[in-house]
Amino acid sequence: EARAFQQSLLPNRETTVNGVAVCCRYTPSSALGGDLYDYAASTGRTALLIADVSGHGVSAAMLTGIVKSAFHASHVDGFEPAAVVQRVSLGLAAFSPDRFVTMVAALISPEERQLRYVNAGHPPVALWGKTREPLWLHSTGPLISPVLTESAWEAPVVPIHEGDHVLLYTDGISEALADDHGRAEKRFTSIIDRASEGGAPLLDTILADVQQQLAGRPQPDDLTLLTARVLGPTTSTSPATLP
């Protein structure tokens, strides 16, 4: 019942939101995982979220629910990434110091051709397109923790154009694909070259590479991925596809 509830927190795996095609994958390592992906429509913009809370089991599942609630409560702020992170920080304030969250909150505006994001201690985001090599968007502030109440996060803006792709993932993915120096960017770039169309083929290729690396060993962590492709400012969103 708990797993069914947690799965119900996740929106559809594939949809289109305000001119942005979104595709997601989630494979927990246990009955109850600590990862979360989400997305939402703002006025002419698309909000994206990926988060990784500490631990597994019931307590981790509770935290993912708090993160999701904070994300959707930020609709009053237009899903501005800085506001999303601040709301999550407030939601975690009552928890013990050993509880924390890493996350990326992003806001894509196809019409303005820009991406605003906050990376709170999370693995870097990949941004690429037909005319640009992968750009890695690294952390813009610390992870979110009850003991870091005075934390601040920068929310930089980068240009994004029609046809560009964004890839968000949790550390279960990057750690499985990391080289001897603990870096996974080269491996991701190689996979992007092989599945340049993005979307479901890209995510399924990444997951296949992860399973190949595991070589039959038990999955040590949750595996969560979200990719988004900018279609253009005129593509409409079907209300039925929204979370």
Side-chain angles (χ1 to χ4, degrees):
E1 290 179 356
R3 177 164 184 162
F5 171 74
Q6 187 177 36
Q7 292 285 337
S8 73
L9 296 178
L10 302 174
N12 294 341
R13 297 203 309 169
E14 300 181 31
T15 189
T16 300
V17 184
N18 285 342
V20 177
V22 181
C23 185
C24 314
R25 294 290 185 268
Y26 171 66
T27 305
S29 63
S30 60
L32 293 173
D35 284 6
L36 175 73
Y37 71 79
D38 211 339
Y39 51 80
S42 186
T43 304
R45 300 184 290 181
T46 303
L48 307 174
L49 175 78
I50 196 162
D52 184 356
V53 311
S54 57
H56 301 279
V58 175
S59 60
M62 288 176 56
L63 283 182
T64 60
I66 289 172
V67 173
K68 182 181 178 73
S69 296
F71 175 62
H72 285 279
S74 69
H75 73 90
V76 298
D77 310 303
F79 291 101
E80 284 292 334
V84 173
V85 175
Q86 289 290 349
R87 286 182 179 273
V88 172
S89 180
L90 288 173
L92 262 63
F95 284 80
S96 61
D98 60 332
R99 295 298 177 185
F100 60 87
V101 176
T102 71
M103 60 177 285
V104 172
L107 191 62
I108 297 176
S109 175
E111 186 172 348
E112 298 172 307
R113 297 183 178 181
Q114 68 178 29
L115 164 71
R116 187 188 307 277
Y117 71 97
V118 169
N119 183 331
H122 202 77
V125 177
L127 169 62
W128 75 96
K130 292 181 179 179
T131 60
R132 68 196 304 176
E133 294 296 317
L135 172 67
W136 296 96
L137 310 179
H138 292 270
S139 179
T140 63
L143 55 78
I144 305 168
S145 165
V147 300
L148 301 176
T149 56
E150 301 301 321
S151 296
W153 295 268
E154 296 182 4
V157 175
V158 295
I160 192 167
H161 306 287
E162 187 171 329
D164 281 357
H165 301 259
V166 177
L167 174 66
L168 291 71
Y169 52 90
T170 53
D171 61 5
I173 298 288
S174 55
E175 289 175 359
L177 298 179
D179 58 22
D180 294 338
H181 303 288
R183 302 293 296 272
E185 287 88 342
K186 289 184 179 179
R187 188 70 175 271
F188 276 120
T189 300
S190 174
I191 297 172
I192 289 168
D193 289 340
R194 287 155 46 202
S196 58
E197 67 269 36
L202 173 67
L203 300 192
D204 293 340
T205 299
I206 293 173
L207 289 173
D209 276 32
V210 169
Q211 292 303 324
Q212 184 178 23
Q213 287 295 114
L214 291 176
R217 298 189 303 274
Q219 182 181 313
D221 201 356
D222 304 330
L223 306 175
T224 306
L225 294 146
L226 184 155
T227 188
R229 178 166 64 94
V230 180
L231 304 176
T234 60
T235 304
S236 62
T237 300
S238 170
T241 66
L242 292 178

